């Protein structure tokens, strides 16, 4: 006659309870060791600079409100004059500086 352990009854319930307690202890130990370990990241200098710029803009930045109001009034009056040549020159200079080229 072959005897196999029963999956029901007081003996298997006690074994299950001890396993559950053991699992809780193991889980608690894992959680505390995970909490003790810290992940870290290192930001590039550019990302740090961008974060500072974003904070500066959010705080009001370097906006000349008087100049903005003058431009607004000039637009409303129809007296705003735009020098497209100067704007184009500055855009080209900025693009050359960004690409690392010097004036020829």
């Amino acid at each position: 006659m072959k005897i196999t352990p029963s999956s029901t009854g007081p003996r298997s319930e006690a074994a299950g309870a001890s396993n559950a307690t053991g699992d809780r202890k193991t889980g608690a130990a894992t959680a505390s060791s995970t909490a003790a370990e810290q992940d870290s990241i290192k930001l590039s200098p550019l990302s740090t600079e961008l974060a500072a710029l974003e904070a500066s803009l959010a705080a009001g930045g370097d906006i000349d409100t008087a100049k903005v109001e003058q431009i607004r009034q000039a637009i409303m009056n129809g007296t705003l004059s735009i020098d497209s040549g100067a704007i184009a020159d500055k855009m080209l200079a900025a693009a050359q500086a960004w690409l690392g080229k010097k004036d020829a």
Side-chain angles (χ1 to χ4, degrees):
M1 171 192 248
K2 188 172 184 180
I3 300 175
T4 59
S6 172
S7 61
T8 60
R11 185 164 213 168
S12 65
E13 289 173 6
S18 69
N19 283 345
T21 304
D23 289 345
R24 274 188 245 133
K25 287 179 185 174
T26 304
T30 303
S32 66
S33 69
T34 303
E37 295 175 8
Q38 295 288 328
D39 290 335
S40 65
I41 60 170
K42 184 176 179 181
L43 300 176
S44 70
L46 179 59
S47 65
T48 305
E49 186 178 335
L50 287 174
L53 178 61
E54 182 180 19
S56 172
L57 290 173
D62 297 329
I63 299 173
D64 185 355
T65 55
K67 179 86 171 184
V68 170
E69 188 57 35
Q70 283 179 337
I71 294 170
R72 179 178 290 146
Q73 288 299 320
I75 292 170
M76 291 176 71
N77 296 336
T79 59
L80 180 67
S81 63
I82 298 174
D83 184 0
S84 59
I87 292 172
D89 289 341
K90 289 182 181 181
M91 289 177 65
L92 289 172
Q96 287 176 342
W98 186 70
L99 293 172
K101 296 181 180 178
K102 298 185 182 208
D103 277 342

